[in-house]
């Protein structure tokens, strides 16, 4: 018999990985926090290179920055543009 959480995971209401253990929940919380830092930096500074976003947010690891950018991109809050080899990002 399926438990309620299994039902919600199967139907996509709660990602299965989010219910697996506390480590995953902490990672999701970190990504959300970093997404907030990225949003704030872009809201205050306008269009920026990814390198400038990293500096403005003081997010140390590239993987953490890219996870935050992915979070916001999936939510439809960012646009990206490549100019002379640099990726520029801005809020939409």
């Amino acid at each position: 018999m399926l438990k309620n959480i299994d039902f919600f995971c199967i139907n996509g209401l709660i990602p299965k990985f989010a219910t697996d253990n506390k480590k995953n929940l902490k990672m999701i919380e970190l990504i959300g926090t970093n997404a907030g830092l990225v949003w704030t930096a872009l809201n205050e500074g306008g269009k920026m290179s990814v390198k400038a976003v990293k500096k403005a947010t003081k997010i140390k690891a590239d993987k953490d920055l890219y996870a935050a950018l992915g979070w916001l991109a999936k939510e439809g809050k960012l646009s990206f543009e490549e100019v002379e080899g640099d990726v520029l990002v801005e809020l939409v």
Side-chain angles (χ1 to χ4, degrees):
M1 178 174 221
L2 290 176
K3 298 176 188 173
N4 285 342
I5 195 72
D6 292 328
F7 173 79
F8 288 119
C9 291
I10 290 168
N11 288 299
L13 300 175
I14 300 173
K16 180 65 175 165
F17 69 88
T19 62
D20 286 344
N21 61 45
K22 290 181 182 181
K23 215 187 271 188
N24 285 332
L25 291 174
K26 286 186 180 207
M27 182 59 77
I28 291 168
E29 184 178 341
L30 175 65
I31 294 168
T33 298
N34 288 339
L37 294 173
V38 169
W39 188 93
T40 300
L42 292 170
N43 189 50
E44 292 173 357
K47 186 187 286 188
M48 296 182 177
S49 69
V50 172
K51 184 178 179 179
V53 172
K54 185 175 181 183
K55 184 176 181 181
T57 60
K58 299 179 182 170
I59 296 172
K60 294 182 181 183
D62 285 346
K63 67 177 181 64
D64 292 336
L65 175 63
Y66 289 120
L69 289 170
W71 179 301
L72 292 169
K74 179 68 175 167
E75 289 184 343
K77 296 186 191 250
L78 299 180
S79 69
F80 298 90
E81 177 183 4
E82 188 171 358
V83 176
E84 298 177 6
D86 285 335
V87 176
L88 303 178
V89 62
E90 70 179 325
L91 294 176
V92 292

